[in-house]
Amino acid sequence: NTPRPASLYEVALNPALLEAKAAVVYDSGTNEIIWEKNGSRELPLASLVKLATAALALDFASESHIEIRGEDIRQEGDSGFKEGEVWDVEKLIRFTLQTSSNDGAAALAHVFEGKDDMNSFARRIGLTSTYFLNPTGLDVSSSTAGGYGSAEDVAKLLSYMVRVHPTALTATLTDNHEEDTPE
């Protein structure tokens, strides 16, 4: 028999039951942390970086299409993109978030290239413990992640996305990305 996971109620009464290194329960209406376990502890973000990439791309997506460049598909992992393909920005965001596509995140970074950078974006929306080294979250080296942040900052980022780009996260509710193809 495998032990059943602790309920939120049980974790609230006994935080030691939570196996995560850090967690927060965040009220986005009041911008308050209701409960936390190491909420401000800075940890590697890995593919959570792609959430910030998507949000920033949406902030600057004045064009509705983006072309996949050769440099984008040289990222670790192969999402099946072809150089020269043209994608609708929102479809590319949906595909990138559903599949955790490094190629897609690299392509999305071109949307805000020269207009803003991810670390300025983080400060602008109030992320105080977060910094990015690339738009994918891929490790830069064996000892350096592609981005770092806290559970509190991830909650603030998600709150920003829900408030400013409310449909962006709906892609994460399903793994069906068959309709997401280049134009």
Side-chain angles (χ1 to χ4, degrees):
N1 285 337
T2 21
R4 83 175 165 75
S7 70
L8 287 175
Y9 177 75
E10 291 168 320
V11 168
L13 293 176
N14 184 0
L17 294 173
L18 183 66
E19 294 180 28
K21 291 179 183 176
V24 297
V25 175
Y26 183 77
D27 183 334
S28 61
T30 62
N31 296 319
E32 293 178 328
I33 295 175
I34 298 167
W35 178 89
E36 71 173 291
K37 175 185 175 183
N38 299 320
S40 60
R41 181 176 174 194
E42 192 177 282
L43 295 165
L45 291 173
S47 283
L48 290 174
V49 167
K50 292 176 180 79
L51 293 170
T53 302
L56 192 50
L58 285 167
D59 283 355
F60 285 95
S62 58
E63 300 292 320
S64 61
H65 293 86
I66 187 165
E67 183 175 333
I68 304 296
R69 301 176 188 179
E71 64 198 63
D72 303 330
I73 57 179
R74 286 192 274 283
Q75 302 297 314
E76 183 181 308
D78 181 1
S79 297
F81 293 114
K82 304 285 186 256
E83 186 174 356
E85 282 181 340
V86 176
W87 278 73
D88 174 85
V89 171
E90 289 187 14
K91 283 184 178 182
L92 184 57
I93 287 170
R94 194 167 42 244
F95 180 87
T96 298
L97 294 180
Q98 285 177 339
T99 65
S100 192
S101 171
N102 297 318
D103 303 342
L108 288 169
H110 297 300
V111 172
F112 53 86
E113 191 172 60
K115 300 171 188 163
D116 200 353
D117 70 76
M118 294 181 70
N119 291 310
S120 295
F121 166 74
R123 299 300 160 259
R124 181 166 42 89
I125 67 167
L127 310 185
T128 57
S129 301
T130 296
Y131 63 96
F132 305 104
L133 298 174
N134 61 50
T136 63
L138 284 170
D139 289 349
V140 174
S141 70
S142 61
S143 61
T144 306
Y148 294 86
S150 66
E152 179 180 345
D153 278 2
V154 171
K156 288 177 183 177
L157 172 60
L158 289 167
S159 178
Y160 173 84
M161 289 185 77
V162 167
R163 190 175 63 256
V164 178
H165 305 293
T167 61
L169 295 174
T170 59
T172 62
L173 299 174
T174 178
D175 61 1
N176 180 9
H177 53 83
E178 292 172 10
E179 65 191 46
D180 297 325
T181 57
E183 297 300 303

